[in-house]
Amino acid sequence: MYSPKPTDAPCRNETVPAIATQGLYKRFGDLQVLKGIDFKAHEGEVISILGASGSGKSTFLRCLNLLEMPSAGGLRIFGEEVKLGASGANLRIADRKQIDRLRTQVAMVFQNFCLWSHMTVMENLLEAPVHVQRRNKAEVRAEAEAILDRVGLLDRTKAYPSQLSGGQQQRAAIARALVMKPRVLLFDEPTSALDPELVGEVLKVMRDLAAEGRTMLIVTHEMAFARDVSSRILFLDQGQIGAEGPPDSLFAGGAKERFDQFISRFSRG
Ligand code: ADP
Ligand code: MG
């Protein structure tokens, strides 16, 4: 008899984008950082966001899960328009409950891990699901153990962040994001703070997540990884989309001059 395998994978919706921005602007005072970004990410896509320092990559990701309020434009998450009201130069949250709900669907992994230093690895994982999502603690603990096993940290559940290597801390941070059962994962330079020998273990976890069809937006300077794992590259250039497309065609050269210049700086080392 056919019995479907239980899975955490959310139902796919091929037509409604997981994330869509329309004319997204963000300014800090007089500095216009994002200048009208029209962007769509569909479920199952792995999109690497490339661009020079200061081009607005972090700001863009932070707008997508409302850590920053856009100044203008629209944002939809799984088809749901984020309700934003006018507030001086920026928009503001118009429906706090909606934002809290949507934020759990769009998890973020930061360059500097941002684990809670006074909590063990397991406590870091339990915190939001139990206290924010109000899920059953025993169930979350069991799920957390399975996730920690997967990222190779099952033997470190009682360790504090300071007792872990950078690579272990980042894997714990990814586990903490996963236990929220997000539908989209955002990564902001997840390996940039790591010693070179620890980069591989984090990229391996991310490759596994990509291979299982997770929707991921990844700001990275790991060009080989981006080329290999992404279904699409988004190149941000001074707050605008400078180039966009499948990695093979973009990296083949001749895409857009600014992108080629950016890439050639990397290949020169
Ligand atoms: P990237 O991640 O591509 O390096 P960021 O999005 O971090 O770029 O920053 C883009 C620009 O916005 C930079 O000039 C940066 O100094 C500025 N910026 C970012 N965050 C803030 C902030 N909270 N206040 C003022 N300026 C900011
Ligand atoms: Mg950044």
Side-chain angles (χ1 to χ4, degrees):
M1 194 179 80
Y2 172 74
S3 76
K5 234 168 90 183
T7 171
D8 273 353
C11 298
R12 293 212 178 276
N13 186 329
E14 305 292 352
T15 51
V16 177
I19 290 186
T21 69
Q22 197 186 15
L24 197 77
Y25 284 80
K26 174 65 184 176
R27 59 193 279 184
F28 294 105
D30 289 339
L31 184 68
Q32 191 68 258
V33 175
L34 300 179
K35 301 168 188 163
I37 297 199
D38 293 310
F39 168 80
K40 283 191 182 118
H42 286 92
E43 277 199 287
E45 277 199 286
V46 177
I47 300 175
S48 288
I49 303 174
L50 310 181
S53 175
S55 57
K57 306 179 298 294
S58 295
T59 303
F60 181 56
L61 275 198
R62 292 169 65 81
C63 283
L64 296 184
N65 81 339
L66 282 314
L67 284 171
E68 276 318 334
M69 283 297 118
S71 316
L75 169 63
R76 283 177 177 269
I77 296 176
F78 294 97
E80 185 175 339
E81 180 85 41
V82 177
K83 293 176 195 158
L84 299 168
S87 167
N90 284 324
L91 299 174
R92 63 171 172 77
I93 292 171
D95 180 347
R96 167 59 62 185
K97 282 198 172 137
Q98 183 201 31
I99 298 292
D100 289 346
R101 180 166 48 75
L102 291 177
R103 268 201 192 130
T104 66
Q105 298 188 11
V106 184
M108 180 108 155
V109 174
F110 301 90
Q111 181 175 344
N112 293 313
F113 329 130
C114 295
L115 292 166
W116 289 293
S117 59
H118 63 289
M119 291 183 193
T120 65
V121 167
M122 180 56 84
E123 287 163 356
N124 264 279
L125 264 69
L126 295 180
E127 179 65 20
V130 172
H131 294 111
V132 181
Q133 292 180 322
R134 309 234 168 253
R135 282 156 54 193
N136 177 282
K137 191 169 180 177
E139 275 173 34
V140 177
R141 185 182 290 277
E143 287 171 18
E145 281 178 358
I147 292 169
L148 287 168
D149 190 20
R150 193 175 160 189
V151 303
L153 286 177
L154 194 52
D155 57 343
R156 305 311 311 268
T157 58
K158 294 190 177 128
Y160 286 89
S162 62
Q163 299 170 317
L164 301 176
S165 73
Q168 289 173 328
Q169 287 184 61
Q170 192 58 298
R171 284 185 280 137
I174 293 171
R176 184 181 59 176
L178 291 176
V179 80
M180 299 284 287
K181 299 182 191 274
R183 297 177 73 187
V184 178
L185 288 165
L186 309 178
F187 295 86
D188 192 359
E189 297 200 35
T191 60
S192 294
L194 299 177
D195 292 333
E197 71 272 21
L198 302 179
V199 168
E201 64 192 60
V202 172
L203 293 183
K204 180 184 177 304
V205 168
M206 293 171 64
R207 270 178 206 276
D208 287 351
L209 293 172
E212 74 175 27
R214 296 264 181 180
T215 311
M216 298 161 70
L217 273 62
I218 309 166
V219 173
T220 183
H221 295 294
E222 295 289 334
M223 292 302 151
F225 172 80
R227 187 171 182 166
D228 206 22
V229 167
S230 316
S231 49
R232 187 149 52 104
I233 303 282
L234 183 74
F235 172 59
L236 282 191
D237 185 23
Q238 298 175 8
Q240 292 179 309
I241 297 179
E244 192 179 1
D248 283 350
S249 58
L250 277 192
F251 279 94
K256 289 261 169 61
E257 198 183 340
R258 300 270 298 170
F259 181 74
D260 292 344
Q261 284 168 359
F262 171 76
I263 291 302
S264 70
R265 286 208 299 277
F266 276 87
S267 43
R268 280 202 304 271

